Amino acid sequence: MSVHTICITDPTAAKPSPVNPLGASTRLHLARSIRSAIANPTISSVILTGGGITAGASGGTNFSAGADIKEFAQPSSVTSTTGEGEDAIPSLVELCTLVESSPKPIVAAISGVCLGGGLELALSCHYRVCPPAQSAFGSRTKMGLPEVNIGLIPGAGGTQRLPRLCELGWSLKAITTGRMVGVAEAFKVGLIDATAGSGTASSPHESLMECATRWARYGEIMPTTGRMLSRRQVKGGSKAELNAICDRIAKKLPKVEKGGEAVHAAVQAVRASFGPYDVTFEGGMETEAVIFMKLLVESSQGRARRHAFFAERAASAGSAKASKTAAVAIKSMLSNPSSTAVGVIGAGTMGSGIAMNFLRAGYSPVFLIDNNPSGLERGVSLIKKLIMGDVAKRRLSPDAAKAMGTSLKPSTDLSSLGGCKLIVEAVFENLIIKQEIFAKLDAVALPDAYLCSNTSTLDIDAIASVLSPSRRQYCAGMHFFSPAHVMKLVEIIRAKETSEETLAVLAALSKKIRKVGVTVGNCDGFVGNRMLNPYTSEMLFAIEAGGTSIMQVDAAISMFGMAIGPFVMSDIAGNDIGYNIRKERGVVRDPETGLPGPNREEGMRYTDLGDDLVVKLGRVGQKAGKGWYTYDKRIGKGRMPLPSSEVAAFVSTYTAGSSSPDKGRRLKDEEIVERLLYPLVNEGFKILEEGIARDPADIDIIYLYGYGWPVWRGGPMFWADNEVGLPKLLARLEEFHTRYPSDYYVPSKLLRKCVELDVGVQEYYRRGLHKEGRNGKGFASKL
């Protein structure tokens, strides 16, 4: 009698996915294999593992990342069998039922990712084992039910089996947060039965497959019915106590209307596992199925979340596969970070945060350059503080922290960057200063070093122009977002002479340092900050007219779902940053003469309110303890925005001279949202027209990861398509342009075209209409 191994893989794929998604052909393969094993009298037990048998023996492959969510476009394939006879493809629910009801014990040998449907499949097995937590494979093994992150709930028994295996409180938190847990925690809460080398193992060096075989042999002498979670009761107390646990957790979840639709649905499904009446497992499964399908078919929040999921992957993948030359360059930059030098110029908050990203990714040495010794010292202190913070949060071991500190090489000498493969400049937002730095790098950097600027608005071509012609192919923008060690977004900006190889390397490098890199074209503000310009302009006009307060504007935008309101955002970023950008553009008044900047056109709709806040009051933001709000270090660690009477009085002086048609009128929250966000979206359409962004979804990702756009609204372009409606957007922009003459209210030609054709902008791109454009001509791409 033998122990039979079944691998989770797609036998029809020429190159199976390394994460083993449970698509139709994989489910069919598993169902056939399990039925065959059950019917075979020479097989006494089964091991279910990821990938190939050889890799599985070492415990080095992924178990399964779960369902293939591309199938969600055909809801029937999710919950029911398709086809007939031996070719009938089981749903994941049916596959899990088949596994659990097997009269022969089935052991899940889990390594790598075991998520969503993958974990639901493992929960259906009679036993679950993993590599040791501290082993190379065990440290990379993660389990979880992350469905809420795409607007769904576990749909193959996760809400019913998990609370029967682990305590309800832990299970419900795991489901509603979608978080992944490691081997140690999984063993502690009872999610897995054992780790290799533990318990009755004959050797501490036992492999995962040896451990699974040991448990399979043990299972052969035990009845499988006792291991079927469907026959157990929910763990955690009486029904009253279980309901109290659900109530307590539900109170801490976001409101349904604020993106909490899926998490509250998950609570409802979990409640069905124990009450309110004498329910059966089958009854709970029916409730789970109904809720799952309702979210899948009807939830706009779910559609937005799934749009974001696919958009992120599309943005990270880029426009095409890397060439052989690019592949070699990527390997050179990524394969051995511990001996790949990286340099960061500028030891301010941004530069230090950028350096921290490379240190966390294992790059060594990482040079931090600043010509100001005291500034350099502050930067080093900030990085050391961040490293110790990682240790305190157990994200980093003391030994790894020590190695990281050793890898950091602070210097005031730019020539120390001579051996760096990548150099990121992150100094003051001034074109002349940046050009001076790049001219010096031209003399000291490696001939093929990637030279990147972290500028947020300046012309990358102008920066690259000071380099030798042979170097310009290696020059690009790499715009991180503050705080750089936290924010996931990087805008990769293509200059005229940036090579495809350079873009491919920077995209791959962004993944390596755990960022989402989006490639965009070169223009003032690129994508994110260019779209932000009308948003921040309108926030000032809204309060200058009087009747509407700073706090009301912030509250309206926060209620919409943005992470923070525009005035708080400005304070956090630094009001002086925006002022200096406007000064660089030549639109602010000269503080001495009072004359408008040379680029402020006559009749241009502009207010000096934001400029004067900085110049006259010195309220530069949170870092100074005063901006649009006041900040007290004794309250909320100096981050809590407090109303300022000084600012209120200051704003009122502008109201007196305002010529706004809204003077003295309190704006409704809906109008605030429209006034600020509609021109932002309109600018997104213009960016697409000009070929600065390759797809509307790229713009959505930039705003989701860089500007706090609520994921449950999908991004500004998705929101315009699916919630606002393009005809309404066009009509309101025309109304606003008449009432508040500004260029950013002039409707985009692309927007008009979409309305004329009665298609959304995403559909316009999906059909390839952007390649045709008007009169057979496509939009000129800068990518």
Side-chain angles (χ1 to χ4, degrees):
M1 299 287 279
S2 66
V3 177
H4 181 62
T5 298
I6 298 174
C7 296
I8 302 171
T9 188
D10 181 357
T12 67
K15 186 179 180 181
S17 168
V19 296
N20 305 320
L22 296 167
S25 54
T26 301
R27 297 196 307 276
L28 179 58
H29 154 68
L30 290 175
R32 285 173 170 173
S33 299
I34 291 166
R35 290 193 185 104
S36 175
I38 292 172
N40 191 331
T42 67
I43 294 174
S44 53
S45 55
V46 174
I47 295 172
L48 195 60
T49 189
I53 295 176
T54 303
S58 65
T61 62
N62 293 303
F63 188 78
S64 173
D68 182 352
I69 70 171
K70 292 178 182 177
E71 292 186 353
F72 291 174
Q74 293 89 34
S76 60
S77 68
V78 178
T79 59
S80 59
T81 298
T82 54
E84 296 180 357
E86 290 186 1
D87 294 327
I89 299 170
S91 69
L92 187 52
V93 172
E94 291 163 333
L95 179 63
C96 289
T97 301
L98 174 64
V99 169
E100 188 181 56
S101 61
S102 167
K104 297 178 181 180
I106 300 180
V107 180
I110 301 168
S111 64
V113 295
C114 179
L115 303 174
L119 182 56
E120 288 176 301
L121 183 61
L123 288 170
S124 302
C125 294
H126 305 107
Y127 303 93
R128 289 158 292 280
V129 298
C130 287
Q134 300 305 318
S135 68
F137 298 131
S139 63
R140 295 198 294 268
T141 297
K142 302 294 179 185
M143 290 156 272
L145 295 170
E147 286 86 350
V148 293
N149 294 325
I150 55 171
L152 297 170
I153 63 169
T159 66
Q160 304 303 301
R161 287 191 176 94
L162 189 61
R164 286 173 161 84
L165 178 64
C166 306
E167 292 286 340
L168 175 71
W170 185 90
S171 299
L172 187 53
K173 286 180 181 177
I175 292 170
T176 54
T177 60
R179 74 184 186 93
M180 296 184 289
V181 301
V183 172
E185 183 178 354
F187 180 72
K188 181 180 179 181
V189 302
L191 182 56
I192 61 174
D193 296 290
T195 57
S198 65
T200 60
S202 59
S203 167
H205 304 296
E206 178 184 53
S207 72
L208 175 62
M209 292 304 288
E210 289 170 340
C211 178
T213 301
R214 176 164 57 91
W215 277 82
R217 290 301 187 189
Y218 168 75
E220 289 171 6
I221 61 174
M222 302 293 289
T224 57
T225 52
R227 301 293 301 182
M228 294 170 65
L229 296 180
S230 62
R231 298 197 177 186
R232 296 184 184 181
Q233 297 297 312
V234 173
K235 300 176 70 172
S238 66
K239 286 189 178 182
E241 290 170 325
L242 296 175
N243 270 310
I245 291 170
C246 289
D247 290 341
R248 186 169 65 249
I249 292 173
K251 285 180 180 178
K252 297 179 181 179
L253 299 175
K255 295 180 179 179
V256 171
E257 66 273 16
K258 292 275 284 182
E261 200 168 39
V263 290
H264 284 282
V267 175
Q268 182 185 353
V270 169
R271 284 189 197 270
S273 68
F274 61 83
Y277 306 109
D278 292 329
V279 298
T280 62
F281 175 80
E282 290 73 20
M285 287 294 292
E286 287 179 10
T287 299
E288 179 188 85
V290 169
I291 293 172
F292 179 89
M293 287 303 297
K294 184 176 181 180
L295 289 173
L296 178 61
V297 176
E298 299 178 12
S299 171
S300 61
Q301 292 182 13
R303 284 194 293 274
R305 288 180 182 274
R306 291 189 289 282
H307 165 76
F309 177 88
F310 285 118
E312 178 186 336
R313 278 145 187 79
S316 297
S319 58
K321 291 184 178 179
S323 65
K324 289 183 179 179
T325 304
V328 171
I330 290 170
K331 185 176 181 180
S332 174
M333 189 70 214
L334 271 61
S335 62
N336 193 14
S338 62
S339 58
T340 302
V342 170
V344 178
I345 304 172
T349 303
M350 179 62 82
S352 299
I354 293 171
M356 185 65 185
N357 288 320
F358 291 109
L359 288 168
R360 281 176 173 164
Y363 281 89
S364 181
V366 174
F367 291 92
L368 183 65
I369 308 298
D370 201 302
N371 61 5
N372 182 338
S374 60
L376 183 62
E377 186 177 341
R378 284 192 298 273
V380 171
S381 295
L382 175 58
I383 291 173
K384 288 182 177 179
K385 184 178 178 181
L386 293 174
I387 291 173
M388 294 315 296
D390 282 354
V391 173
K393 295 172 184 174
R394 298 185 179 180
R395 295 174 181 167
L396 201 64
S397 69
D399 287 344
K402 185 177 180 180
M404 196 179 284
T406 303
S407 296
L408 179 63
K409 305 294 183 185
S411 176
T412 57
D413 185 5
L414 204 67
S415 64
S416 61
L417 300 177
C420 292
K421 286 283 292 178
L422 170 79
I423 300 169
V424 180
E425 165 274 310
V427 302
F428 189 69
E429 194 76 347
N430 181 281
L431 180 60
I432 293 175
I433 293 174
K434 290 179 185 288
Q435 287 177 323
E436 289 175 352
I437 289 171
F438 274 74
K440 291 176 182 177
L441 289 176
D442 195 46
V444 303
L446 291 170
D448 59 350
Y450 301 104
L451 306 180
C452 301
S453 175
N454 180 57
T455 178
S456 59
T457 57
L458 300 177
D459 186 352
I460 298 296
D461 288 321
I463 293 171
S465 68
V466 301
L467 295 171
S468 302
S470 62
R471 281 195 184 276
R472 293 173 191 168
Q473 62 180 310
Y474 301 111
C475 182
M478 203 171 185
H479 177 209
F480 289 80
F481 285 69
S482 185
H485 62 284
V486 175
M487 298 294 283
K488 286 187 68 175
L489 180 68
V490 176
E491 279 183 319
I492 301 168
I493 301 100
R494 180 174 199 163
K496 286 180 181 177
E497 297 182 59
T498 307
S499 69
E500 290 290 344
E501 172 192 306
T502 296
L503 294 176
V505 169
L506 296 182
L509 181 62
S510 297
K511 286 185 182 179
K512 178 72 173 178
I513 61 174
R514 298 186 178 183
K515 303 293 182 185
V516 178
V518 182
T519 302
V520 301
N522 182 32
C523 68
D524 186 5
F526 317 127
V527 171
N529 282 344
R530 174 173 163 180
M531 290 171 66
L532 201 66
N533 182 52
Y535 176 77
T536 53
S537 294
E538 279 305 306
M539 79 181 193
L540 297 177
F541 289 124
I543 64 167
E544 183 189 53
T548 302
S549 69
I550 291 171
M551 287 183 291
Q552 187 194 346
V553 172
D554 275 350
I557 296 300
S558 294
M559 281 299 296
F560 171 82
M562 296 291 279
I564 51 177
F567 289 100
V568 172
M569 178 194 71
S570 185
D571 277 355
I572 292 172
N575 298 315
D576 54 326
I577 302 296
Y579 172 78
N580 287 324
I581 289 172
R582 294 189 293 275
K583 185 177 180 181
E584 190 77 15
R585 289 172 176 158
V587 295
V588 305
R589 289 186 184 275
D590 186 310
E592 295 184 7
T593 66
L595 295 175
N599 294 330
R600 192 194 297 188
E601 299 175 3
E602 186 175 351
M604 177 180 175
R605 188 167 173 253
Y606 190 90
T607 175
D608 296 309
L609 181 55
D611 301 336
D612 290 348
L613 182 84
V614 173
V615 175
K616 295 181 179 180
L617 299 186
R619 300 186 70 101
V620 297
Q622 198 177 89
K623 59 190 173 186
K626 59 179 185 177
W628 292 105
Y629 295 92
T630 295
Y631 301 88
D632 189 330
K633 290 183 178 179
R634 298 167 297 179
I635 304 174
K637 298 182 179 180
R639 301 190 192 100
M640 175 75 73
L642 305 170
S644 167
S645 56
E646 180 184 37
V647 173
F650 178 70
V651 171
S652 67
T653 62
Y654 286 80
T655 302
S658 172
S659 59
S660 170
D662 299 319
K663 189 171 182 178
R665 182 172 71 88
R666 179 183 173 87
L667 302 178
K668 295 179 180 179
D669 288 355
E670 181 182 1
E671 188 175 356
I672 292 171
V673 169
E674 291 180 343
R675 285 268 301 274
L676 271 64
L677 295 183
Y678 283 10
L680 179 150
V681 171
N682 190 41
E683 202 65 33
F685 274 91
K686 293 177 181 179
I687 283 168
L688 289 169
E689 269 180 36
E690 297 168 23
I692 300 299
R694 63 163 62 97
D695 191 274
D698 282 2
I699 295 176
D700 288 337
I701 288 300
I702 286 170
Y703 263 77
L704 287 167
Y705 284 114
Y707 296 88
W709 191 278
V711 65
W712 49 274
R713 290 193 188 272
M717 308 312 287
F718 182 90
W719 175 65
D721 262 355
N722 294 276
E723 287 195 57
V724 177
L726 300 192
K728 178 183 177 181
L729 175 65
L730 175 59
R732 290 295 279 160
L733 284 170
E734 289 174 333
E735 290 173 23
F736 287 147
H737 183 243
T738 300
R739 188 173 178 83
Y740 318 107
S742 293
D743 287 346
Y744 50 71
Y745 278 135
V746 176
S748 150
K749 293 177 183 177
L750 173 58
L751 172 58
R752 290 188 184 279
K753 186 67 175 177
C754 287
V755 172
E756 177 187 324
L757 296 175
D758 192 27
V759 296
V761 66
Q762 193 64 65
E763 182 67 18
Y764 187 88
Y765 271 71
R766 193 175 293 117
R767 291 187 191 176
L769 298 176
H770 62 293
K771 297 175 183 177
E772 300 172 10
R774 291 179 178 274
N775 302 318
K777 296 180 180 180
F779 299 126
S781 175
K782 296 187 179 181
L783 295 171

